[in-house]
Amino acid sequence: MASKTATQKSWWIAATVALAGTWAAGPSALAQSTAPAPTVVKGELIGNAGKPIGSATATGTDRVTIVRLVLLPGALQPGWHGIHFHAVADCSDPEKFLASKGHVNHDGKAHGLLNPNGPDQGDLPNVFAAADGSVSAEVTSPVGLVGPNGLMDADGFALVIHAQPDDHTTQPIGGAGARVACGVFKAS
């Protein structure tokens, strides 16, 4: 009986040490060991003159996309600007960037983060251009970068920046005005 109790104690101690190590590492320790690495795609943004004005990096999974945007001084007019995910990775017409088509909108929802019938999958928070026209921002979307309804479908997506802020309710683009910058994101 004594050896059985000693074996039980040894097992209990080993289990406690293993659990303590997992607990000390935090709740994300298990998730990190089984989660696939996020997908990362980069795009250069161009302005209406067709010249590069900055870059963006989209990092995501099948449930979220995070975009880090860096625009050079002079890229935009100072102030707030609407930005959206557009359905086609095509910025070949810099005068208006209409080749990028409309917003990503797999579910046919209305435009606007504040719209009770929205948002569509292209909607994002506004970004702010500093007095020198530069932007350093990071925005998050619950739209997956990959997966069945992800942004990275066969024709990729475009990130479009508008001249004015998005009011997040008005149709079709929240009063954000002209398309002043565009970046292409495609699988490499």
Side-chain angles (χ1 to χ4, degrees), residues 10 12 14 32 35 37 39-40 54 57 62 87 93 100 108 124 133 151 154 158-159 164 181 183:
S10 295
W12 186 84
Q32 287 179 357
T39 298
V40 178
T57 303
D62 61 350
D93 58 334
S100 65
L124 292 166
L151 297 168
L159 181 68
Q164 305 297 322

Side-chain angles (χ1 to χ4, degrees), residues 13-38:
I13 290 170
T16 302
V17 168
L19 287 174
T22 301
W23 177 80
S28 63
L30 290 177
Q32 287 179 357
S33 66
T34 59

Side-chain angles (χ1 to χ4, degrees), residues 106-184:
H106 300 296
D107 299 332
K109 292 191 174 185
H111 166 77
L113 293 171
L114 300 174
N115 189 315
N117 298 314
D120 65 41
Q121 285 115 337
D123 291 331
L124 292 166
N126 292 317
V127 295
F128 187 79
D132 68 356
S134 66
V135 174
S136 293
E138 186 172 87
V139 295
T140 303
S141 171
V143 176
L145 184 59
V146 295
N149 281 327
L151 297 168
M152 293 302 297
D153 57 11
D155 57 5
F157 71 97
L159 181 68
V160 172
I161 303 177
H162 292 269
Q164 305 297 322
D166 183 341
D167 66 16
H168 302 297
T169 55
T170 306
Q171 301 305 303
I173 60 166
R179 300 173 184 190
V180 297
C182 185
V184 168

